[in-house]
């Protein structure tokens, strides 16, 4: 995901910066309450919460989307704060009868854009956009909160793919991350909400939005690592984590690649979006714990979701 290079601004005004940012549309989702992860007190950016965990892994046929303007971001009542710069929702879960295993999930999604994301979540004033509430979704109703995506990719010889972010990107330069970015609503023809659509058209749009989550993560892996799409299995949705700093949510998926780690490294050198990262690591599962310490909170949460998936697989 191309991210405009940003510097830290001590001034509370971002008005001079925002007009030059693109109004690129992004799918967004608000976060619900979840388990918090341990953090490094010297680096609060690594703190995370697990919003939704699906350790059994859900295929595309079991992940649904309700895309509606009622889940868009709510403007902040403070006009000056709002001018310093749109999605809001949640999720619904169904369980297997007589079990705590999730059988399907429906994500409530709206529409936001990159400029609003920078002006709320990435603003130095981001905490002022939060609402004091014990209801987690209400806390974030004034933030953009675009739903990012991340992929835990396992090679045929059992290695996990990790990237080190470039030092020229705006968010967490030099940190370790899993490949990912965010879904692109324009890929399914969404540039704005349709106000007069019927039930059939609404259902079709919801289906397209759901499929874009799965198609989008394949696209990110192909572009960031250079893997051919046909080398990857269908993604399994394993949950959503949220970075505590800037309340940034990310959906994570698990995929397998039919290539060995050494073949992946060769392909990485010609990746389309290789400029976003400086190098690729192919690591054993046990080594991920060490690298996760230097991951942004949302990706560190992705590692936690992967661990839960592995534990569920071992116990089954």
């Amino acid at each position: 995901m191309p991210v405009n290079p940003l510097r830290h601004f001590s001034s509370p005004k971002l008005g001079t910066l925002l007009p030059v940012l693109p109004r690129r549309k992004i799918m967004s989702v608000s976060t619900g309450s979840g388990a918090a992860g341990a953090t490094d007190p010297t680096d609060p950016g690594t703190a995370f919460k697990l919003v939704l965990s699906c350790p059994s892994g859900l295929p595309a046929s079991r992940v649904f989307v309700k895309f509606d303007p009622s889940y868009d971001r709510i403007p902040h009542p403070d006009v000056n704060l709002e001018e310093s710069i749109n999605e809001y929702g949640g999720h619904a879960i169904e369980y297997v009868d007589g079990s705590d295993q999730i059988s399907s999930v429906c994500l409530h999604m709206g529409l936001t854009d990159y400029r609003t994301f920078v002006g709320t979540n990435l603003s130095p004033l981001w905490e002022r956009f939060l609402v004091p509430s014990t209801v987690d979704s209400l806390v974030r109703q004034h933030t953009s909160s675009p739903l990012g995506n991340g992929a835990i990719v396992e090679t045929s010889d059992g290695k996990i793919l990790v990237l080190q972010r470039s030092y020229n990107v705006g968010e967490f330069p030099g940190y370790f991350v899993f490949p990912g970015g965010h879904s692109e609503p324009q890929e399914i023809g969404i540039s704005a909400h349709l106000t007069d659509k019927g039930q059939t058209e609404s259902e079709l749009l919801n289906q397209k939005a759901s499929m874009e989550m799965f198609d989008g993560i394949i696209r990110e892996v192909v572009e960031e690592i250079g893997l051919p799409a046909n080398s990857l299995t269908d993604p399994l949705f394993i949950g959503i984590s949220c970075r505590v700093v800037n309340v940034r949510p990310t959906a994570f998926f698990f995929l397998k690649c039919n290539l060995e780690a050494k073949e992946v490294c060769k392909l990485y050198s010609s990746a389309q979006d290789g400029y976003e990262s400086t190098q690729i690591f192919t690591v054993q599962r046990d080594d991920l714990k060490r690298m996760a310490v230097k991951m942004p909170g949302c990706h560190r949460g992705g590692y936690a979701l992967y661990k839960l998936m592995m534990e569920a697989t071992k116990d089954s």
Side-chain angles (χ1 to χ4, degrees), residues 1 3 6 29-32 34-40 43-52 114 117-118 120-124 126-127 130 136 139-140 143-149 165 169-173 175-178 181 239-252 292-305:
M1 172 182 70
V3 179
L6 297 175
V29 64
S30 77
T31 58
T39 182
D40 178 356
D43 188 356
T46 63
F48 69 91
K49 294 178 69 175
L50 295 187
V51 178
L52 175 63
Y114 188 68
F117 169 47
V118 173
T120 59
N121 293 79
L122 295 189
S123 168
W126 68 273
E127 290 178 289
L130 304 184
D136 218 40
V139 171
R140 294 160 173 81
T143 61
S144 173
S145 298
L147 183 62
N149 58 24
R165 285 178 64 78
V169 296
E171 286 189 89
F172 293 91
Y175 278 61
F176 298 123
V177 293
F178 299 108
I240 298 176
S241 70
C242 182
R243 188 170 73 218
V244 172
V245 172
N246 306 125
V247 290
R248 177 72 155 103
T250 302
F252 277 90
V293 174
K294 188 61 176 176
M295 285 183 174
C298 43
H299 282 255
R300 194 174 179 198
Y303 165 65
L305 291 169

Side-chain angles (χ1 to χ4, degrees), residues 16 40 42 91 93 96 100 125 139 156 170 181 213 275 289:
T16 57
D40 178 356
T42 65
H91 60 262
I93 298 172
V96 176
D100 59 358
L125 308 177
V139 171
S156 62
M213 290 182 61
Y275 62 88
K289 182 177 181 179

Side-chain angles (χ1 to χ4, degrees), residues 4 6 9 12-23 81-85 113-120 122-123 129:
N4 294 48
L6 297 175
F9 288 84
K13 295 292 185 181
L14 287 179
T16 57
L17 173 67
L18 294 177
V20 304
L21 291 174
R23 278 284 189 182
L81 183 61
E82 188 66 17
E83 288 181 352
S84 73
I85 20 176
D113 56 62
Y114 188 68
R115 176 183 172 183
T116 310
F117 169 47
V118 173
T120 59
L122 295 189
S123 168
F129 283 95

Side-chain angles (χ1 to χ4, degrees), residues 269-280:
S269 61
S270 58
Q272 177 180 332
D273 287 349
Y275 62 88
E276 295 183 18
S277 58
T278 59
Q279 58 182 317
I280 189 170

Side-chain angles (χ1 to χ4, degrees), residues 278-298:
T278 59
Q279 58 182 317
I280 189 170
F281 297 86
T282 57
V283 300
Q284 301 283 359
R285 292 172 183 170
D286 294 342
D287 294 330
L288 275 179
K289 182 177 181 179
R290 172 180 54 82
M291 302 188 84
V293 174
K294 188 61 176 176
M295 285 183 174
C298 43

